Amino acid sequence: MGQGQLQGGLLWSYLGHGAVAGGPEESSLSNPAFMEYTSRVFGDVTVVVQDCPSWDLLDSDWTGVRSVLEQADILVIKYSVNDKLAFQQVRNGYAPRLRPLLHHWGMPVILVAVGARLNDWSSCVPHSEGLQLSRDLGATYLELPSLNHVFVSRYFGSVLEYFMIQCLKQKANERPEKRRGNKLNEPRPPHLEQPARLPPIRVEESSFSQDLQWLLERGVQFADVAFYSGDSGKELGWGHAAVLCAVSPYFRQLLLGPKASERPISRCACRGDGRGDMGPPSLLSTWDGGMGMEDGSRPDGHLAGRISRLVVKDPLLCLCLWETLMFLYRGAWEWEHLQEAMGEKLNNSLAVAQLMDRIRSFLGRDKGPRDTPNARAAQLGPQSLVNLFNSPLYSDVIFMVQGSVLLAHRAVLVARCDVMAAMFSGKYAEARSRVVPIHGVSSDTFLSFLEYLYTDTCCPASVLQAMAVMVCAEMYQVKRLQHLCEVCVCAYLQSMPSRELASTGISVIRLLRRAKCHNAEQLYVWLLHFIANNYLIFSHKPDFLELSDEEREQVERLRWPSRGYLQELSEYQQRRRKLKKSRCLVM
């Protein structure tokens, strides 16, 4: 017999002479493309076999094959160990289609490798590959060198009969009328629907990089660093010492001196001869000191204070100074964009590579094996100004909040907050004063507000602090911070167990009032749904009466569990009590 005939006769060999072609009349598995035959096992159990003639049927009639698979109890997959090409086609083409269905249905699968391997091992299927396929399909793996009585009956038959017995037990358990002690007249409890999903809080994408880009492009009023060409003496642009020092250790050493960490960082020693006091050594010999620093003054005379004049002596940096400053201001992580912009301007790959190395020296790092895009993006980004937060480094404004002194920088404030920009740019007293008093906000709350402006992050420690920061954000019209605080409030409340929610001193109803008062519309809607989903907890609290008629109507409409379910539950309990009284129990 050929190898293909041996595979086709596997189940026929197991069933023996009792197998009859065709299926029972009540069978719903009929498919004309399959070879079908029936037999009996265990005396009175009918087995219906649907034999797929070819794997190509999965391509031509996938719907029909799937309907047969879906109704089957056991799946047997056969292949010849001497037909490696066909095995690879099954493993790579058909097994990925069957795998999710088999895992979903949970039916037992038997993978059988039929035949004895020939001497030509290149055309044979190794044992390891068959075993791996069985693991992928969640199947039991068998190898049958031939289809004689010993291999078919003892090995294959014992495994198949085990799964048959398991299927029979499962089918018996699925018949509720035959279960021992089944109570047909027992009332069924009402079905409890899941509570409605809480509406999501939408938060805007971060605008940190765009805000600092705006500062570089339009924040000349608060600039205190001027760049000049070393060759022509032409003015190249303006910058902000605080931002440059926060992003770049080179600028910090250049502007503050080599011992910047040991000196009062609010001072900057400058000399009129074009050199900084104990300035840093040159990073590249071609720069001859890189940049010189001189005293200067703003042409418009709007901002009082010392102006640092930096002379750019490198011609490549003179050409690409704007792109370099834009890269530093946006967080010093968009290396690909910087390289692309320089390539368009210089049109020289060697010059671009040299300038990229010099910019890395600005940041105090060299290109190494871990200098990948993801690693570079994680280095600074929105955390580029974290060293400026509440730091005296170039601080030009002092906030007095409840007796506490908080240091800040006008350039960062006007870039990140429109209200601060109007306050420090207009004809207000704050624009001409170094000390600015803040009223109506606690020092911890205002410090958290400033932390967001500098780091683009918000991590309040409690629900009440999150609400306080949200109120402060609404006062200064920082919408993203307001929405982040709303998310924090929702997360804190949702993490509370029911017992803690019932005993907590936090009034969710009053949080609802504050959310409505301070235009936190998303939080207001979320709290209404939260109260409705925990109706049995909040309806017994005294402040539940503080809800308006419209709010109470909405809560009643969304309440969980619903009134209808509670009514059905009460009727079910009454029927249970009556049934228990009328039943005669005999031990």
Side-chain angles (χ1 to χ4, degrees):
M1 297 177 64
Q3 191 64 44
Q5 292 174 299
L6 284 175
Q7 292 185 58
L10 174 61
L11 281 169
W12 187 275
S13 300
Y14 164 75
L15 295 175
H17 299 290
V20 179
E25 297 180 357
E26 66 274 10
S27 174
S28 60
L29 300 175
S30 179
N31 189 312
F34 285 72
M35 182 174 65
E36 183 174 300
Y37 43 92
T38 61
S39 183
R40 286 186 175 273
V41 296
F42 307 134
D44 59 347
V45 177
T46 302
V47 178
V48 182
V49 178
Q50 292 259 337
D51 205 338
C52 181
S54 172
W55 283 99
D56 296 335
L57 192 61
L58 273 72
D59 295 323
S60 59
D61 187 17
W62 169 245
T63 304
V65 173
R66 176 170 175 168
S67 64
V68 174
L69 287 174
E70 191 172 3
Q71 300 177 68
D73 298 312
I74 302 172
L75 177 63
V76 180
I77 299 177
K78 308 165 292 180
Y79 70 89
S80 170
V81 296
N82 295 310
D83 193 351
K84 191 171 185 178
L85 183 62
F87 173 81
Q88 292 175 345
Q89 183 181 5
V90 172
R91 180 188 61 188
N92 301 328
Y94 299 113
R97 299 170 63 180
L98 292 174
R99 186 186 304 115
L101 299 178
L102 298 179
H103 290 176
H104 176 69
W105 293 330
M107 72 171 62
V109 182
I110 304 175
L111 181 65
V112 184
V114 180
R117 292 180 176 84
L118 303 178
N119 294 331
D120 185 9
W121 288 95
S122 61
S123 62
C124 297
V125 181
H127 170 81
S128 58
E129 294 187 11
L131 187 61
Q132 183 59 44
L133 178 60
S134 68
R135 291 171 179 171
D136 293 342
L137 297 176
T140 300
Y141 181 66
L142 293 176
E143 286 194 358
L144 303 181
S146 66
L147 296 185
N148 59 27
H149 175 74
V150 175
F151 290 110
V152 173
S153 299
R154 293 188 179 181
Y155 297 127
F156 173 72
S158 61
V159 174
L160 182 62
E161 289 171 6
Y162 169 79
F163 287 127
M164 286 182 180
I165 294 173
Q166 298 301 317
C167 291
L168 290 174
K169 290 181 179 180
Q170 182 178 359
K171 289 178 180 294
N173 292 332
E174 290 175 353
R175 301 174 183 175
E177 67 277 5
K178 293 187 178 181
R179 291 179 186 172
R180 183 179 179 182
N182 183 51
K183 304 171 184 177
L184 298 177
N185 297 326
E186 186 77 17
R188 302 185 64 180
H191 176 66
L192 178 61
E193 298 288 345
Q194 292 294 324
R197 295 185 60 182
L198 296 170
I201 305 293
R202 293 180 173 83
V203 181
E204 300 84 350
E205 293 185 1
S206 173
S207 62
F208 188 87
S209 297
Q210 292 82 348
D211 293 341
L212 291 185
Q213 178 178 338
W214 176 92
L215 177 63
L216 177 63
E217 294 174 344
R218 303 183 183 181
V220 181
Q221 176 181 345
F222 301 95
D224 52 2
V225 176
F227 294 92
Y228 293 87
S229 172
D231 296 333
S232 62
K234 179 182 177 181
E235 180 183 313
L236 300 177
W238 291 83
H240 306 80
V243 177
L244 295 174
C245 290
V247 177
S248 168
Y250 178 75
F251 277 105
R252 183 162 57 250
Q253 188 182 18
L254 181 65
L255 294 172
L256 300 178
K259 298 182 180 180
S261 59
E262 302 175 3
R263 301 167 53 189
I265 56 182
S266 60
R267 301 176 183 176
C268 180
C270 300
R271 292 167 52 176
D273 57 357
R275 294 175 297 172
D277 182 19
M278 298 180 65
S282 61
L283 298 176
L284 296 174
S285 60
T286 56
W287 286 16
D288 190 20
M291 296 182 179
M293 182 173 63
E294 300 180 359
D295 292 341
S297 59
R298 286 286 310 281
D300 53 13
H302 185 90
L303 182 64
R306 187 176 299 278
I307 304 297
S308 299
R309 180 184 177 188
L310 301 183
V311 179
V312 184
K313 298 181 179 181
D314 183 82
L316 293 179
L317 187 58
C318 285
L319 292 175
C320 298
L321 179 65
W322 176 257
E323 290 76 11
T324 303
L325 292 177
M326 182 67 69
F327 167 75
L328 296 176
Y329 270 68
R330 287 180 61 87
W333 64 275
E334 299 171 325
W335 292 91
E336 287 75 14
H337 295 288
L338 174 64
Q339 188 171 5
E340 182 180 353
M342 290 183 174
E344 294 177 356
K345 198 160 191 178
L346 299 178
N347 198 20
N348 186 323
S349 59
L350 180 60
V352 171
Q354 292 176 354
L355 190 53
M356 291 288 289
D357 289 338
R358 295 169 188 176
I359 293 175
R360 289 189 185 94
S361 68
F362 281 168
L363 302 175
R365 69 171 72 102
D366 296 326
K367 186 176 182 180
R370 297 184 179 181
D371 194 21
T372 61
N374 292 335
R376 292 193 298 262
Q379 288 170 349
L380 286 176
Q383 298 298 316
S384 59
L385 302 183
V386 65
N387 293 329
L388 287 183
F389 172 56
N390 200 24
S391 168
L393 176 65
Y394 282 103
S395 172
D396 55 2
V397 60
I398 299 175
F399 290 107
M400 297 296 299
V401 189
Q402 291 184 337
S404 299
V405 176
L406 305 180
L407 305 177
H409 309 77
R410 297 174 190 262
V412 178
L413 299 178
V414 299
R416 298 281 287 145
C417 177
D418 293 339
V419 174
M420 292 281 189
M423 185 170 65
F424 290 117
S425 303
K427 298 181 179 179
Y428 298 98
E430 292 83 357
R432 300 182 299 273
S433 175
R434 180 176 175 83
V435 179
V436 178
I438 299 295
H439 305 285
V441 180
S442 68
S443 58
D444 291 340
T445 299
F446 197 76
L447 188 65
S448 298
F449 172 72
L450 291 178
E451 182 181 11
Y452 169 79
L453 297 184
Y454 280 81
T455 65
D456 206 44
T457 58
C458 174
C459 300
S462 64
V463 174
L464 297 181
Q465 185 180 2
M467 289 296 295
V469 177
M470 186 197 74
V471 172
C472 183
E474 191 265 342
M475 181 188 308
Y476 288 96
Q477 295 297 302
V478 183
K479 286 294 183 182
R480 184 171 183 272
L481 175 58
Q482 182 177 352
H483 295 158
L484 286 174
C485 292
E486 294 178 25
V487 172
C488 292
V489 172
C490 298
Y492 280 124
L493 292 178
Q494 217 165 359
S495 64
M496 287 186 180
S498 299
R499 181 176 298 179
E500 182 180 353
L501 200 61
S503 60
T504 182
I506 300 174
S507 174
V508 178
I509 306 299
R510 292 174 185 172
L511 295 182
L512 181 75
R513 298 266 70 81
R514 292 190 69 184
K516 186 176 182 180
C517 178
H518 293 283
N519 301 315
E521 298 179 0
Q522 294 188 93
L523 179 60
Y524 176 77
V525 174
W526 189 92
L527 288 174
L528 278 178
H529 283 75
F530 185 72
I531 295 171
N533 284 359
N534 298 274
Y535 184 87
L536 297 180
I537 295 177
F538 294 112
S539 60
H540 293 87
K541 293 194 173 187
D543 54 5
F544 186 77
L545 301 176
E546 298 178 12
L547 291 175
S548 65
D549 295 339
E550 182 180 355
E551 293 167 345
R552 190 174 303 178
E553 180 182 353
Q554 186 172 357
V555 169
E556 291 288 345
R557 179 172 56 84
L558 299 172
R559 60 174 290 180
W560 184 87
S562 64
R563 289 183 179 274
Y565 170 80
L566 295 179
Q567 180 64 29
E568 294 177 5
L569 181 62
S570 176
E571 296 174 358
Y572 164 75
Q573 293 172 342
Q574 292 178 4
R575 290 196 300 270
R576 290 268 300 178
R577 285 193 292 268
K578 290 181 181 179
L579 186 62
K580 186 176 294 187
K581 290 180 180 179
S582 61
R583 184 180 300 160
C584 178
L585 300 179
V586 179
M587 179 175 291

